[in-house]
Amino acid sequence: MFNLILFGPPGSGKGTQSEKLIDRYGLKHISTGDLLRSEIARQTPLGQEAKNFMDKGQLVPDEVVIGMISSALDENPGAKGFLFDGFPRTATQAEALDKLLELKHSTIAVMLALDVSEEELIKRLEKRGETSGRSDDNNHQVIKARIVEYHNKTAPVADYYSNFDKVVLVKGEGTINEIFDGLCAEIDKRLAEKELQG
Ligand code: B4P
């Protein structure tokens, strides 16, 4: 299996780039944001709990998200690899993911971290808020809260994977295709190394 994490602050383009990457590499896309929004749309108890946090720009509790990931992995036993989008977002989630993958005799190959300035993030999210209907995008205070939450709780996840030498910073500003090319170059490098190791 070849598993990768697409990492970055809210609005850095994780969802946008994931769509293109899964097409090219045939990986199974797991986006915790999408999974949570689907629970909200179906008005499940989990969705109702998650909505309270998401509407305030806060992270959903770890145990909720880790449970969802565990189910998603079990539901895809034949996957040739997973692309994790928006997960892990805390150090606790990162440790849990490593354990879940270990049970499947697998690991994270690389974390690709999208580098985007705060000014650009706010601009993108406010623009999306005009049309997306997402309650966490159409309020400036909530967007700010998500960025603060990212710095406090999510940025340390990159330190966690740095300890294993697995983090690569990729330019996240420019056209969608330019950013995609930067991501593909890093993935292709890792895939070639994997091939050499047999
Ligand atoms: P997510 O759904 O993960 O969303 P995101 O971080 O806001 O966006 P993303 O980085 O995917 O940006 P996108 O490509 O869409 O999280 C939402 C919420 O769910 C969180 O706040 C949290 O409450 C909860 N949650 C999710 N996962 C969790 C977890 N693991 N633990 C706890 N809570 C969790 O791009 C944004 C916009 O920019 C789009 O409009 C796009 O068109 C535009 N864009 C993209 N690339 C561009 C480019 N190159 N130039 C210009 N615009 C661009």
Side-chain angles (χ1 to χ4, degrees), residues 10 13-16 32 37 54 58 60 86 89 93 128 146 174:
K14 302 182 295 288
T16 305
T32 38
R37 281 186 288 277
M54 291 167 76
Q58 294 169 356
V60 174
R89 257 177 157 99
Q93 292 180 18
R128 184 170 67 183
R146 286 159 66 193

Side-chain angles (χ1 to χ4, degrees), residues 6-19 29 31-37 40 50-62 64-66 68-69 85-90 93 114 116 120-121 123-129 131-132 134 136-137 142 145-147 149-150 154 171-180:
L6 195 55
F7 186 76
S12 55
K14 302 182 295 288
T16 305
Q17 296 294 334
S18 291
E19 293 299 326
H29 182 199
S31 155
T32 38
D34 288 350
L35 290 172
L36 290 166
R37 281 186 288 277
I40 292 173
K51 190 173 184 331
N52 288 328
F53 292 94
M54 291 167 76
D55 281 353
K56 292 189 212 123
Q58 294 169 356
L59 293 182
V60 174
D62 285 335
V64 173
V65 179
I66 293 166
M68 275 184 351
I69 291 286
D85 159 10
F87 178 89
R89 257 177 157 99
T90 64
Q93 292 180 18
L114 289 167
V116 180
E120 172 73 11
L121 296 175
K123 206 167 80 189
R124 287 184 191 177
L125 293 174
E126 288 188 334
K127 185 157 175 249
R128 184 170 67 183
T131 52
S132 69
R134 270 178 60 167
D136 58 347
D137 277 347
V142 174
R146 286 159 66 193
I147 295 174
E149 193 84 329
Y150 169 80
T154 305
K171 196 166 166 241
E173 292 188 38
T175 68
I176 288 171
N177 282 336
E178 281 163 0
I179 298 162
F180 180 62

Side-chain angles (χ1 to χ4, degrees), residues 3-170:
N3 305 308
L4 72 92
I5 296 171
L6 195 55
F7 186 76
S12 55
K14 302 182 295 288
T16 305
Q17 296 294 334
S18 291
E19 293 299 326
K20 294 171 71 68
L21 291 169
I22 53 166
D23 258 11
R24 172 160 306 184
Y25 295 101
L27 301 172
K28 176 76 195 160
H29 182 199
I30 301 189
S31 155
T32 38
D34 288 350
L35 290 172
L36 290 166
R37 281 186 288 277
S38 145
E39 297 279 345
I40 292 173
R42 287 183 285 125
Q43 299 187 340
T44 64
L46 190 156
Q48 277 157 6
E49 187 193 351
K51 190 173 184 331
N52 288 328
F53 292 94
M54 291 167 76
D55 281 353
K56 292 189 212 123
Q58 294 169 356
L59 293 182
V60 174
D62 285 335
E63 57 277 14
V64 173
V65 179
I66 293 166
M68 275 184 351
I69 291 286
S70 175
S71 312
L73 292 180
D74 289 343
E75 281 161 16
N76 293 281
K80 67 185 240 196
F82 292 95
L83 189 166
F84 296 98
D85 159 10
F87 178 89
R89 257 177 157 99
T90 64
T92 304
Q93 292 180 18
E95 285 165 24
L97 177 61
D98 274 358
K99 288 199 186 113
L100 288 170
L101 288 176
E102 213 175 287
L103 290 174
K104 301 193 183 305
H105 310 289
S106 194
T107 183
I108 292 294
V110 65
M111 170 190 266
L112 300 174
L114 289 167
D115 188 21
V116 180
S117 72
E118 191 162 319
E119 196 190 348
E120 172 73 11
L121 296 175
I122 294 174
K123 206 167 80 189
R124 287 184 191 177
L125 293 174
E126 288 188 334
K127 185 157 175 249
R128 184 170 67 183
E130 290 167 11
T131 52
S132 69
R134 270 178 60 167
S135 51
D136 58 347
D137 277 347
N138 60 18
N139 177 312
H140 187 78
Q141 287 317 104
V142 174
I143 290 175
K144 283 289 233 186
R146 286 159 66 193
I147 295 174
V148 169
E149 193 84 329
Y150 169 80
H151 287 300
N152 290 340
K153 298 184 182 160
T154 305
V157 175
D159 299 334
Y160 174 86
Y161 287 101
S162 285
N163 292 332
F164 304 100
D165 216 10
K166 289 186 176 176
V167 183
V168 182
L169 199 63
V170 178

